[in-house]
Amino acid sequence: MDNNHLGETLLPLAPKNGRRVLFFPYPLQGHISPMLNLANLLHSKGFTITIIHTNLNSPNQSDYPHFTFRPFDDGFPPYSKGWQLATLCSRCVEPFRECLAQIFLSDHTAPEGERESIACLIADGLWNFLGAAVYNFKLPMIVLRTGNMSNIVANVKLPCFIEKGYFDHTKEGSKLEAAVPEFPTIKFKDILKTYGSNPKAICETLTALLKEMRASSGVIWNSCKELEQSELQMICKEFPVPHFLIGPLHKYFPASSSSLVAHDPSSISWLNSKAPNSVLYVSFGSISSMDEAEFLETAWGLANSMQQFLWVVRPGSVRGSQWLESLPDGFIDKLDGRGHIVKWAPQQEVLAHQATGGFWTHCGWNSTLESMCEGVPMICSHGIMDQPINARYVTDVWKVGIELEKGFDSEEIKMAIRRLMVDKEGQEIRERSSRLKESLSNCLKQGGSSHDSVESLVDHILSF
Ligand code: UDP
């Protein structure tokens, strides 16, 4: 692999250091991309890379000729949907262990001189069974958290939220808008959206994951000190292992090639004809779905805003529809060229395009980081899991976005788009976004916090 392949920051390719690092991504787009970016980063530092992966959503090997891939059978068809974390984990325990055993065996039987001692496993923080597996092989494990620290702070405090009855008494009334006393950055409505569906069961699952993290040989975060300095202090106290904040991982390389779905190139050609900052990009990530009524509210909100938009509608993301068939007849013609709809966009390129002036996002962590890195202000629709807390930080902490309060309501959507794209308020948010972009870019440069953290991570791995 030549150095240009390593991207904008032109990382120098270090000579091989004789150590192999094993990676084990969780098979979702938002988890695979940061892990493969991390693998590329460590490859550039001289490590040899082996990717252990499920058959489900397996990464495209031809994009990574410099890695070794070790797939195993998890019993799912390659692109099946609707599986749960617990089922996937239980199906992976044995095949993962066998795969690890084979890797160690081939290492032992390799001819002298071709052997590269295995330094450690870097595994996604959603796997809940690895501590026991690596213990048998005396293999150090580092956890990669593809999300941010603030959500882990909330996860740590969840037993306390349950004990205090926050999920029993806050559903009604004014308390929803109040700050949570144990974590005043976030509001009661945020923890209801994050855990409210079944806090006790979620707490059980999270406790197992946090236990794995606590017992690990370190944690890597796709975040940086510029974003989460105060959360880091709490995390270090709660998890007394080394922490490496080395994000934003996608910026070490050109727009990553780890997409599981083909990008529609018309996204960029359509943007090319538009004026700077004139287009709202709309995408809700790789997993979320909406019902038909929400889809129509979204469509009318976009149309009535009278702004230009590039909208990603994944096939199957509107429940009960294949793709766009629930749009009213003539909807697209009436837009008069103001809107362009695609099935999947090259998101990082779209956000970096000068025509893109705003991003209506579901606030998945990758999308949030990608937007902040390009200085694109956001409209935040917060859905589930980590998204409500990400949205709270975007709007109230980093102040680079506007919150949609009502879910999918065409009038509120129209007004939010105009606030962001037309009004003075949007201009002020854009200026803050530009400043944040600058500081995120600086943290990756020589002397920057993430740059230095990568060096510490390399030393840490070499110490095993
Ligand atoms: N993405 C993309 N094209 C699209 C929509 C999304 O490449 O049309 C990528 C996006 O750049 C991001 C990932 O998919 O890296 C989505 O991850 P995120 O954490 O934002 O959300 P999730 O899909 O996990 O909900």
Side-chain angles (χ1 to χ4, degrees), residues 28-31 33 259 263 281 283-288 312 314 342-348 361-368 370 385 387:
L28 288 176
Q29 182 69 70
H31 291 250
S33 299
S259 184
H263 293 138
Y281 171 59
S283 167
F284 306 121
S286 63
I287 316 167
S288 72
V312 176
R314 278 181 298 109
V342 295
K343 293 179 175 167
W344 191 248
Q347 181 162 302
Q348 291 168 34
T361 169
H362 71 313
C363 287
W365 183 238
N366 291 287
S367 295
T368 304
E370 287 161 11
M385 300 181 294
Q387 297 150 21

Side-chain angles (χ1 to χ4, degrees), residues 14-22 42-50 107 110-120 458 461-464:
K16 282 184 156 227
N17 59 25
R19 306 302 304 277
R20 180 178 292 277
V21 178
L22 312 180
L42 290 183
H43 177 263
S44 78
K45 299 289 177 189
F47 292 96
T48 301
I49 306 296
T50 295
D107 186 55
E112 194 74 38
E114 281 176 32
R115 247 176 248 167
E116 277 162 319
S117 76
I118 299 170
C120 66
V458 169
I461 297 174
L462 288 174
S463 74
F464 294 136

Side-chain angles (χ1 to χ4, degrees), residues 1-3 6 10-16 40 42-46:
M1 190 166 81
D2 61 30
N3 287 0
L6 287 171
L10 286 177
L11 295 167
L13 194 53
K16 282 184 156 227
N40 256 343
L42 290 183
H43 177 263
S44 78
K45 299 289 177 189

